[in-house]
Amino acid sequence: MIFDRKMLGSALALVLLAGCTPNDTGLGDAVRANYAAQVIEPEPQYAEAMTASGDQTAGAQERYRKGNVKQPVAEKTTSGVTGGGASGGGSSGGN
């Protein structure tokens, strides 16, 4: 049987090129999905248009310069009673 060099070279090249492609083409999809889930909405939709008042801003800057900054109002972030964990008071010591 006679082997043609061109045919043998082509077959060898195809085998070698097949080894260059990854078996799992979805490699890294989980990382990209997790990243996308944590990205904040780049263009959020608000119920009302966001506006700014020049007079209010000027007043805030003037108060800042004079040291009369309005203190923020304290707000509770949780409601209800927090319970402490039950402590048995026992220790695991040996005699």
Side-chain angles (χ1 to χ4, degrees):
M1 187 189 248
I2 300 175
F3 290 105
D4 185 20
R5 287 185 180 198
K6 289 182 183 177
M7 184 66 110
L8 186 60
S10 297
L12 183 61
L14 286 175
V15 170
L16 292 175
L17 286 175
C20 293
T21 58
N23 293 335
D24 182 13
T25 57
L27 187 65
D29 286 347
V31 173
R32 284 189 286 272
N34 291 338
Y35 178 75
Q38 296 175 29
V39 173
I40 298 173
E41 178 66 38
E43 295 183 26
Q45 302 296 320
Y46 295 105
E48 300 174 359
M50 296 181 71
T51 59
S53 168
D55 294 333
Q56 184 179 11
T57 304
Q61 288 177 346
E62 189 62 30
R63 285 190 303 274
Y64 179 76
R65 282 190 207 113
K66 292 181 179 180
N68 298 330
V69 179
K70 292 182 181 179
Q71 294 300 316
V73 178
E75 296 202 20
K76 291 185 178 182
T77 57
T78 57
S79 63
V81 178
T82 59
S87 72
S91 64
S92 60
N95 288 341

